[in-house]
Amino acid sequence: MSEVVAVMVVLACVVSGLFLQAVQKTNETYQALSDETEIYIECELAASSMKEASNYLTAQLRQFVITHDVQYLDNYFVEVQQTKRRDSALDQLESLAGSSEAHNFLERANDLSNELMGLEHEAAQLVLSATNTSANIGNDELAKAPLSAEDAALSSEQKLDKAMSLMFGENYQAHVDEIERNIAQCKTTLIATIQDEQVKSSAELESLLAMQQVLTWALLAVVLLTALSIIMLLLWPIRKHIEYVGDNQQLPLIGARELRFMASEYNTLYEENLKHSDSLRRKAEHDHLTGLYNRSVFEHLLEAYRDEEYALLLIDADYFKDVNDTLGHDAGDKILQKLSRLLAKAFRSSDYACRLGGDEFAVVVTDISPELVHVIDAKIKAVADGMADDSDGLPKLTLSVGAAFSNASKDADTIYKHADEALYFVKNSGRNGLAFYGISTQGRDLYALDCPSNCVANGEKGQTLFHSAQGPLTLRHANRHPWNHPLSREGSPSVMQQGLFPLTWRLLRSSHPEGRVMMWKRV
């Protein structure tokens, strides 16, 4: 087997070397053909630019001779002294004119162009003298060819007539035609030379491509022979192994000794991987205490749902640290586990409950819009009721919840900031509440819950609307004990003194038997 493989490798190397040689030669020929094509294009562009520039100069000077408007003369000299399209085109054609014949045509065109420019300058001098004006640009050029004594002695009308004759006469047009003819001859000669080179390069390229085709078939034959020589020893066992791997099964111990060894090692790793993969994945994605998704998954969720409608809830267990310090960490862990179970039960399987750390939780509620805010109300109330149930021996605990909808922003950081501001608002207003960032509750009924001091409540429907410097916030489920209340009859609550609510509120009524439900109105 090794001898056959060695022979095939040698053949493959020889054919490959010849093939690479042919490819290199093909690339060189193709590059030469490409360069010749570029020269052809440059020649066409230069001739076209030359003609356009000449026509432009003729048109501008003729307009000046007819209208006596110095602007046309200025345009003429801007083209001659600054743009220089005609000079650039001549220089480019000269660089391309390799043959003496093409160069002779180009020199003749250049001489005729200089003669034509002399006629144009003379016509310009005659018009300037006749109209007693001067040019804004090009005076130095005009000074090189002053009017003769005979022309200077002409009357203004005679000077204008002569200028018209110079610019529209047969001599001027003959110069223009002769320049174009010489440029065309130069271009034709260059193109003919380029085309000859292109024909040669094309023939050589065709021959090289044919050689590459032959070598390709030869290389393919070597590959096929190599494949046929090892098919029974390697290919069939490998194919079977691939099928088993695709079906996620252990590999059969078949084929060559090396393959059987590899299959045995694979089967060992396969068994170990089955044991550990589920455990590793769960540890990487879930919080070890509560079983909820961890902060890493939470951050990926915000990015994954960037273009979807969702609501973000940030949830804190109120005074959890005090309970943890008083009753111990075991009780604190049980409270966190209880809250996790309630969140998982209240929300859908398509929603994502996460523990961010400590007593901080978050829920990504998918496929929801602000119009369904009552759905979140009901779910949070169910969780809050569960946390208030102490029949399991755990102390009652209230929740502070801040919420934001993704319709306000597609940026995950901004949505998190909005939800965090709503959560801060709840905590700063006495905790035990639910606040939505940027949503007005006008027109919606809310179930009866305690209202903090810094709110406006509609006594008929129990609606509560908050306003902050960052925009409107809606607070629900607020519970503030009257003995901790910063107001007695009227005044400014402490949160207002912090600059969040620069308003004054009046206590309207207290409907709870213990005085806990308070309605406040702005004055």
Side-chain angles (χ1 to χ4, degrees), residues 114-341:
N114 292 332
E115 292 177 9
L116 189 65
M117 190 172 291
L119 294 176
E120 292 168 346
H121 288 180
E122 183 180 355
Q125 287 279 38
L126 288 168
V127 174
L128 290 174
S129 177
T131 59
N132 196 25
T133 55
S134 60
N136 298 321
I137 304 174
N139 286 316
D140 294 340
E141 290 288 333
L142 293 174
K144 296 177 182 178
L147 291 177
S148 63
E150 181 181 353
D151 288 341
L154 296 175
S155 65
S156 296
E157 186 176 352
Q158 290 173 332
K159 290 177 181 178
L160 294 175
D161 289 341
K162 186 172 182 180
M164 290 287 289
S165 175
L166 287 173
M167 290 304 300
F168 292 91
E170 294 181 358
N171 185 40
Y172 186 88
Q173 189 60 43
H175 275 73
V176 171
D177 294 341
E178 186 65 15
I179 290 173
E180 291 183 357
R181 188 184 69 79
N182 279 275
I183 292 296
Q185 288 289 342
C186 176
K187 184 182 75 171
T188 302
T189 304
L190 285 174
I191 290 175
T193 303
I194 293 170
Q195 287 177 338
D196 290 341
E197 295 295 329
Q198 286 178 327
V199 169
K200 294 178 183 178
S201 298
S202 297
E204 185 177 358
L205 186 60
E206 184 177 352
S207 174
L208 289 170
L209 289 175
M211 182 183 296
Q212 284 188 20
Q213 188 175 10
V214 172
L215 291 173
T216 300
W217 284 109
L219 186 60
L220 180 60
V222 172
V223 171
L224 290 175
L225 288 173
T226 304
L228 290 173
S229 65
I230 63 175
I231 189 170
M232 296 307 298
L233 293 175
L234 298 176
L235 184 58
W236 183 79
I238 290 174
R239 182 177 179 181
K240 298 298 293 183
H241 287 169
I242 291 174
E243 291 177 358
Y244 278 83
V245 170
D247 294 336
N248 198 23
Q249 300 179 13
Q250 292 189 3
L251 301 182
L253 301 179
I254 58 175
R257 179 176 58 84
E258 294 82 0
L259 285 179
R260 293 198 302 271
F261 174 78
M262 291 172 57
S264 176
E265 291 298 313
Y266 174 86
N267 292 339
T268 302
L269 294 175
Y270 178 85
E271 293 175 357
E272 294 177 356
N273 184 62
L274 285 180
K275 295 177 182 178
H276 297 294
S277 60
D278 290 340
S279 175
L280 291 175
R281 182 169 57 253
R282 183 167 184 83
K283 287 181 180 179
E285 296 178 352
H286 292 77
D287 176 62
H288 71 282
L289 176 63
T290 63
L292 299 181
Y293 291 111
N294 57 25
R295 176 178 284 274
S296 176
V297 174
F298 169 74
E299 292 172 352
H300 282 89
L301 286 171
L302 294 186
E303 291 299 324
Y305 281 88
R306 177 184 295 271
D307 297 325
E308 306 293 335
E309 281 193 335
Y310 69 91
L312 172 60
L313 311 181
L314 297 181
I315 305 168
D316 276 8
D318 296 332
Y319 306 109
F320 173 77
K321 185 178 184 301
D322 296 337
V323 175
N324 202 39
D325 293 343
T326 302
L327 301 181
H329 293 293
D330 290 341
D333 290 347
K334 291 179 180 179
I335 291 173
L336 294 178
Q337 291 169 345
K338 176 182 178 179
L339 177 55
S340 301
R341 290 193 299 272

Side-chain angles (χ1 to χ4, degrees), residues 47 49 59 64 68 79 112 118 155 201 310 318 375 408 438:
S49 177
F64 172 65
H68 309 155
E79 175 67 30
L112 290 170
S155 65
S201 298
Y310 69 91
D318 296 332
V375 175

Side-chain angles (χ1 to χ4, degrees), residues 389-455:
D389 182 6
D390 59 356
S391 61
D392 54 3
L394 295 176
K396 298 180 179 180
L397 219 63
T398 59
L399 303 176
S400 295
V401 185
F405 287 90
S406 63
N407 65 318
S409 172
K410 294 299 182 184
D411 179 63
D413 292 338
T414 302
I415 298 171
Y416 184 91
K417 179 182 177 183
H418 288 173
D420 192 52
E421 289 178 5
L423 176 62
Y424 175 80
F425 181 77
V426 174
K427 289 184 175 181
N428 208 38
S429 303
R431 310 194 184 216
N432 188 22
L434 166 62
F436 290 90
Y437 182 91
I439 301 178
S440 172
T441 63
Q442 189 63 31
R444 292 205 313 273
D445 292 333
L446 307 177
Y447 42 81
L449 290 166
D450 293 342
C451 177
S453 62
N454 52 338
C455 67

